[in-house]
Amino acid sequence: MSKRQNPHDKVIKNILGRHETAVSFLQSFLPERMTRHLELESLRFEQTSHIPDHLQEYFSDILIRMPLRDRDQEAEIYVLLEHKSFLDEWVPLQLLRYMVETWTSYGQKRKEPFRKLPLLLPIVIAHGEYKWRYKTKLSSIVDVPDETFRAYLPDFEYSLFDVNVEDVRGYAFHSALKSLFAIWQISPKREFLDELKDALMFLFQDLDEKQLDRFLKILVYYLSQARSSEELSDIMDVIRSLPAGGETMETIAEMLEKKGYEKGLSLGEQRGEQRGEQRGEKRGELKKSREMLLEAISERYGTVSSDLVRRINSIDSHDTLKMLFKQVFRVDSLEEFQEQVLRATDN
């Protein structure tokens, strides 16, 4: 199963996967009682991932290591970034899996006599159409019949930064991170284009010319990938209204040119062509998503009935197909999965 690039995953890694932005996020988001023990300026990124290949499309992780102050041991900060338009109550279980894999890998790499494992601090950054409504403890998804059994539960809690409800201006984040979070906040709104300029203006607060050029290009490229084709000419109008100019704007124009929005056509012709391209792209992407889902079902359960194939091929929603893909690996039987498909298609 091939992995498709998720533009949300790519942009957060492009921005938060840099030393200065990661330091600003952790310094501002984590409580002072924790940060005073961490040498944030000495953080470094681990070039590894513990996400299974068949789930790479749906999850992205950044693993950061840094020393503890006045101690010989290191603390690891594990940041799980999930980008999806629906809520997922199973995040604690996913985090637990990643944490165990990280600790196992750590132990295998250490050749010296046994020493305690490093601390892992799981942090989830959530954004999407709805605010996060699930509890942040593993015990919230485990049925504990009586307090007598709680001692056997490997419980932990993750920290949550829900972009939908947080006031970005209230944090001392790097300007590029503020701008990205602001874009995510306005993404579900009908007034997205009206508010886009204000979101991008965060970049002009304290970045030098070189940084501004770098991060503006990253965000514009992200917008060209994440937003609908019909919006791109309007997005370009917003970009042209920004204080930046010269070579930066020329490069951005070339970036969007590749997608067919600077061909010298009239606005009506451009948008007509955009709609045609968008419909074609959507049909192709839906077909690919259906094929991936059917392949996953076949790998997990074997033969797929003609009725199940017919129902899946009738689904025209990426969100529904994505949700069903995740359910393939969560339910215990094909019958349970078929019930999920029935609920999704019997409308």
Side-chain angles (χ1 to χ4, degrees):
M1 203 176 300
S2 62
K3 176 186 174 184
R4 288 184 297 159
Q5 287 295 320
N6 182 319
H8 308 299
D9 291 343
K10 195 168 184 179
V11 72
I12 193 66
K13 281 192 170 182
N14 239 333
I15 293 180
L16 194 54
R18 299 170 185 267
H19 186 274
E20 66 273 23
T21 50
V23 169
S24 78
F25 177 76
L26 296 174
Q27 183 71 60
S28 187
F29 175 65
L30 294 175
E32 192 276 333
R33 65 180 182 275
M34 293 175 64
T35 57
R36 67 169 178 256
H37 296 292
L38 305 174
E39 292 186 12
L40 291 172
E41 292 299 331
S42 300
L43 70 78
R44 59 187 184 274
F45 298 95
E46 291 284 284
Q47 301 300 315
T48 185
S49 175
H50 301 298
I51 300 172
D53 290 342
H54 64 275
L55 296 179
Q56 287 282 347
E57 177 185 353
Y58 297 90
F59 302 103
S60 173
D61 70 321
I62 297 177
L63 189 63
I64 301 173
R65 292 175 59 125
M66 72 197 72
L68 285 166
R69 296 188 187 280
D70 304 320
R71 289 184 61 181
D72 190 27
Q73 185 180 349
E74 290 184 332
E76 286 184 324
I77 308 299
Y78 186 73
V79 183
L80 173 66
L81 309 169
E82 297 191 40
H83 309 105
K84 47 195 173 186
S85 58
F86 59 92
L87 300 170
D88 187 356
E89 63 183 318
W90 295 100
V91 167
L93 189 59
Q94 296 158 10
L95 282 168
L96 179 61
R97 180 177 184 178
Y98 304 147
M99 292 166 72
V100 171
E101 292 291 343
T102 301
W103 277 324
T104 301
S105 176
Y106 178 90
Q108 291 172 345
K109 290 177 182 178
R110 292 295 180 270
K111 295 182 179 180
E112 65 264 25
F114 179 80
R115 59 184 289 185
K116 288 185 178 180
L117 296 169
L119 180 66
L120 284 163
L121 303 178
I123 301 173
V124 173
I125 300 176
H127 82 92
E129 188 176 355
Y130 307 104
K131 69 179 182 179
W132 201 255
R133 66 166 177 253
Y134 296 116
K135 295 180 180 179
T136 57
K137 297 194 72 172
L138 177 65
S139 56
S140 67
I141 62 172
V142 178
D143 183 11
V144 181
D146 184 86
E147 287 301 311
T148 307
F149 297 91
R150 192 166 295 278
Y152 301 95
L153 178 65
D155 205 7
F156 70 92
E157 184 169 5
Y158 62 87
S159 296
L160 173 70
F161 183 83
D162 187 353
V163 175
N164 287 301
V165 299
E166 296 286 352
D167 179 9
V168 174
R169 292 176 175 81
Y171 290 89
F173 293 153
H174 189 279
S175 297
L177 205 53
K178 282 188 177 182
S179 186
L180 174 62
F181 288 164
I183 289 172
W184 280 348
Q185 286 180 335
I186 65 174
S187 285
K189 295 183 179 180
R190 292 183 179 179
E191 304 83 9
F192 172 77
L193 289 168
D194 297 329
E195 299 182 24
L196 178 57
K197 182 175 181 178
D198 288 339
L200 290 169
M201 285 301 295
F202 279 113
L203 295 174
F204 295 82
Q205 291 182 350
D206 54 15
L207 299 183
D208 60 33
E209 186 175 345
K210 185 177 180 180
Q211 291 174 319
L212 175 62
D213 178 84
R214 178 196 306 133
F215 288 113
L216 184 57
K217 288 175 182 175
I218 289 173
L219 289 176
V220 172
Y221 181 77
Y222 163 69
L223 290 168
S224 76
Q225 299 296 307
R227 302 300 297 186
S228 71
S229 300
E230 292 181 337
E231 288 183 312
L232 292 190
S233 58
D234 293 323
I235 289 174
M236 193 60 205
D237 289 339
V238 174
I239 303 302
R240 288 194 181 100
S241 71
L242 296 173
E247 186 178 339
T248 297
M249 296 308 297
E250 290 177 13
T251 304
I252 289 173
E254 291 173 3
M255 188 187 302
L256 296 184
E257 214 170 73
K258 293 178 181 178
K259 297 183 72 68
Y261 297 95
E262 299 288 320
K263 292 181 178 178
L265 302 174
S266 69
L267 184 59
E269 290 172 325
Q270 283 186 39
R271 288 182 175 167
E273 182 173 310
Q274 292 164 14
R275 285 192 291 272
E277 289 179 355
Q278 183 184 27
R279 286 193 293 270
E281 289 174 0
K282 183 179 180 181
R283 284 195 296 269
E285 291 174 357
L286 283 169
K287 181 181 178 182
K288 191 171 184 179
S289 295
R290 294 183 193 117
E291 289 173 350
M292 291 176 65
L293 177 56
L294 288 168
E295 183 180 344
I297 299 168
S298 179
E299 287 182 0
R300 177 85 193 272
Y301 301 111
T303 305
V304 183
S305 69
S306 58
D307 180 65
L308 190 58
V309 172
R310 179 184 61 79
R311 284 182 176 274
I312 288 174
N313 283 333
S314 71
I315 298 172
D316 290 323
S317 166
H318 280 294
D319 292 342
T320 301
L321 290 167
K322 196 172 182 180
M323 179 273 292
L324 289 173
F325 184 92
K326 294 169 69 63
Q327 291 301 318
V328 170
F329 303 98
R330 289 181 178 158
V331 299
D332 295 325
S333 66
L334 180 59
E335 289 71 25
E336 286 185 59
F337 179 75
Q338 287 173 326
E339 291 179 7
Q340 298 276 348
V341 176
L342 288 173
R343 283 199 292 269
T345 56
D346 284 343
N347 294 323

